[in-house]
Amino acid sequence: MGLSANAKDFTITAPPGSDITNILLKTFNEACQFPTKSSVLIPKGEYKLGKIEMMGPCKAPIRITLQGTVKADGNVNGNDFWIAFRRINGFKLNGGGIFDGEGNAAWRANNCDKMALTQCKKLPISIRFDYVTDAKIRGITSLDAKNFHINVLGARNMTLEEVTIIAPDESPNTDGIHVGRSDGVKIIDSIIKTGDDCVSVGDGTRDLLVERVTCGPGHGISIGSLGLYGKEEDVTGIRVSNCTLLNTDNGVRIKTWPSAACSTTASGIHFENIILKNVTNPILIDQEYCPWNRCNKNKPSTIKLVDISFKHIRGTSGNKDAVKLLCSKGFPCKNVEIGDINIKYTGADGPATFQCSNVSPKLMGTQVPKACSGPVTKLPGQ
């Protein structure tokens, strides 16, 4: 496996088609307790894998190499995750293998559009990384997750590279990669095709880079939603660059709830060098985000948006609303920059429009469509 002389390789030996849950957990725990670097290999072949939690801390850096395919069962059993890696420092996951979440049966059981969010049927996230530090995830595929494909919580210095995520566009709540309460995460050179946000950013995220990601189908690349829960943490230092969005329901967006349960700030959010192909809502700030009308839109969002930029964004829109900056009337957006955008729409109800509410953006370079065709509310003191 290319490890040093003091390292140790562990290999899962099981016939293809068998359930490797117990042997993988046992092998991981042995490797985790090895005093120097270790590696766990899941060889080529197709294997069954049940719910599994691989928990650190480990005594030394550890690598899992998945060359084959592991398949979840099709049951909708109320678990909140399928595979979890937790509290590991110095972690690698690679090998070119596939995590198959067998999500088709679960999507039919999804009922979040019919009841309160707190009463939704709990469906398992495919892969969780909880409090994993100094980690590199490279060259894996997540297929047909029942819920989110990958959830990153409490990470420090983590890179996800050349990750492939695949699910049908009609699969509900199958966010590609969700990042929350993490610092120093990079998502680069990846392809995400799914039924919800390709990348979603939750509260407490700091210093996130999303670069050279191709998204579509899906709901685009989203900051938020923010403000649904109390005690949310600030979001700061988000950069999305050199990404391509294809036939997505949204492009690059920031979404916060009205009647928010907290008062936090999202700042230093920059979208640049984005290519759009038939993208609905290509550029969107939505501080009236309220799916299924389960909030009070008359109470403005208390999430403050500061230092936001959209630069060098070009391509085609799937509807005439090419740019919508719908900020909170309670806390208007501050220091929003728009520079060198060229978004075209050729529908019969055209041309493309640029709407502003409770924001006065700083304009740089050229804007197609012409900036701020809707009502503009100037910021205090302007």
Side-chain angles (χ1 to χ4, degrees), residues 240 243 245 251-252 270-276 282-284 309-316 322-323 337-344 366-369:
V240 178
C243 294
L245 296 108
V252 289
H270 304 293
F271 303 95
E272 59 187 358
N273 298 321
I274 308 296
I275 295 174
L276 312 161
I283 296 175
L284 177 61
S309 69
F310 301 90
K311 296 181 179 179
H312 308 297
I313 298 176
R314 63 194 185 278
T316 57
V323 184
E337 293 188 4
I338 304 287
D340 285 324
I341 63 169
N342 188 341
I343 305 173
K344 296 178 180 178
T366 59
Q367 294 84 42
V368 178

Side-chain angles (χ1 to χ4, degrees), residues 47 52 79 103 107 133 212 240 258 308 312 324 335:
Y47 306 94
I52 185 168
N79 290 329
W107 303 328
T133 60
R212 297 186 300 277
V240 178
I308 314 293
H312 308 297
K324 292 197 292 187
N335 193 21

Side-chain angles (χ1 to χ4, degrees), residues 209-350:
L209 174 66
V210 180
E211 189 170 44
R212 297 186 300 277
V213 169
T214 299
C215 165
H219 293 181
I221 297 174
S222 297
I223 313 303
S225 60
L226 303 175
L228 179 60
Y229 303 105
K231 299 183 179 179
E232 291 189 7
E233 299 177 5
D234 290 350
V235 171
T236 186
I238 312 298
R239 185 170 296 277
V240 178
S241 68
N242 298 298
C243 294
T244 300
L245 296 108
L246 309 171
N247 300 304
T248 51
D249 287 359
N250 298 282
V252 289
R253 67 171 170 168
I254 303 170
K255 49 182 178 175
T256 78
W257 288 76
S259 58
C262 58
S263 298
T264 55
T265 299
S267 63
I269 300 172
H270 304 293
F271 303 95
E272 59 187 358
N273 298 321
I274 308 296
I275 295 174
L276 312 161
K277 294 183 180 179
N278 191 37
V279 171
T280 306
N281 301 316
I283 296 175
L284 177 61
I285 293 178
D286 183 5
Q287 293 210 261
E288 296 182 352
Y289 178 76
C290 184
W292 311 305
N293 294 315
R294 290 182 182 149
C295 59
N296 182 2
K297 285 192 174 183
N298 293 323
K299 294 180 65 176
S301 179
T302 54
I303 308 300
K304 304 174 188 68
L305 301 184
V306 182
D307 297 334
I308 314 293
S309 69
F310 301 90
K311 296 181 179 179
H312 308 297
I313 298 176
R314 63 194 185 278
T316 57
S317 177
N319 72 2
K320 66 182 296 181
D321 299 323
V323 184
K324 292 197 292 187
L325 309 180
L326 308 180
C327 295
S328 169
K329 63 183 178 182
F331 296 90
C333 298
K334 294 183 179 180
N335 193 21
V336 175
E337 293 188 4
I338 304 287
D340 285 324
I341 63 169
N342 188 341
I343 305 173
K344 296 178 180 178
Y345 173 66
T346 58
D349 57 337

